[in-house]
Amino acid sequence: MYYQVLNMFANESDVAYRTFLKLLLTHEESFSKEEVKFLYAAAQNYCAKKINKGQATQFIPEILNLYKKQLAKGILFEDKYFPTNAYNNIVNAGLSLKEFEWTKDFMDQYKEKLANRHRESCYTFNQAKYYYTQKDFDLVLSLLQQVEFTDVYYNLGAKALLARTYYELNEIE
């Protein structure tokens, strides 16, 4: 398994990725929960690297599928909370693939599992992204006014979404 991780990153080999994924799905019960989390993270990082290199069409479905497998197994949690970065990545992948109903259900189902201090900002920001894809731009503006900018990700992401929304509304000012 670890050889395949090294091989897929060192050679940027999709064949090594497929081999690794097949091995992971076949033998994951042989590993501890922490090792399985690490192995899924390695697969996700490989997919993210490919997405960033312009292969989004092939690897966004891959990464969402990896997240769905982890959701089904309940292995994404960190200290009983759902990580905001995983939540954001899942929403982004779901919206990119136009899996709107599944994504909305995911957002609602896992909202209460986010850490209290990030819950409302994370959920509201992702709702704004969801409604942007639904072309409900007035609701996007309303939601973005509610987001507390607890970190740089929300601040920059909200400003970019706000600019795109104003563009869609033809708000030149």
Side-chain angles (χ1 to χ4, degrees):
M1 293 293 291
Y2 292 103
Y3 169 76
Q4 290 302 331
V5 170
L6 180 63
N7 189 27
M8 73 182 179
F9 282 110
N11 300 313
E12 290 193 32
S13 168
D14 292 354
V15 172
Y17 168 76
R18 297 276 175 229
T19 302
F20 166 72
L21 199 56
K22 185 177 177 183
L23 286 169
L24 175 59
L25 297 175
T26 304
H27 300 289
E28 71 181 273
E29 70 282 344
S30 302
F31 295 93
S32 72
K33 182 179 178 180
E34 289 306 311
E35 287 176 309
V36 171
K37 284 176 80 166
F38 168 80
L39 294 169
Y40 271 102
Q44 288 165 206
N45 288 336
Y46 182 81
C47 291
K49 187 174 185 178
K50 290 296 196 167
I51 291 166
N52 291 335
K53 288 191 170 196
Q55 296 181 3
T57 305
Q58 181 182 353
F59 283 95
I60 289 176
E62 284 285 326
I63 205 165
L64 184 59
N65 199 25
L66 290 168
Y67 276 121
K68 286 180 178 180
K69 287 181 187 330
Q70 292 171 89
L71 287 170
K73 296 171 190 309
I75 59 173
L76 280 171
F77 290 87
E78 294 173 1
D79 296 327
K80 79 180 178 175
Y81 292 112
F82 200 89
T84 56
N85 62 333
Y87 189 91
N88 292 327
N89 290 342
I90 291 168
V91 170
N92 289 339
L95 295 176
S96 292
L97 295 172
K98 298 182 177 13
E99 291 191 24
F100 301 122
E101 187 175 330
W102 182 90
T103 303
K104 182 73 168 112
D105 290 344
F106 163 79
M107 288 170 28
D108 294 339
Q109 181 179 352
Y110 286 90
K111 173 188 177 186
E112 295 303 317
K113 294 175 178 23
L114 294 165
N116 289 340
R117 66 176 194 220
H118 300 295
R119 181 177 299 143
E120 289 306 318
S121 291
C122 182
Y123 180 72
T124 303
F125 177 62
N126 282 290
Q127 273 190 308
K129 291 189 295 188
Y130 171 81
Y131 285 110
Y132 179 86
T133 65
Q134 303 303 301
K135 302 192 183 308
D136 191 342
F137 302 119
D138 291 329
L139 185 53
V140 171
L141 294 175
S142 174
L143 288 166
L144 287 176
Q145 290 174 355
Q146 300 171 37
V147 175
E148 285 186 38
F149 302 115
T150 55
D151 67 23
V152 130
Y153 174 80
Y154 294 119
N155 194 352
L156 294 175
K159 287 181 186 212
L161 184 56
L162 187 62
R164 291 195 317 266
T165 302
Y166 283 142
Y167 176 82
E168 292 293 337
L169 291 171
N170 202 24
E171 293 286 342
I172 304 305
E173 297 287 324

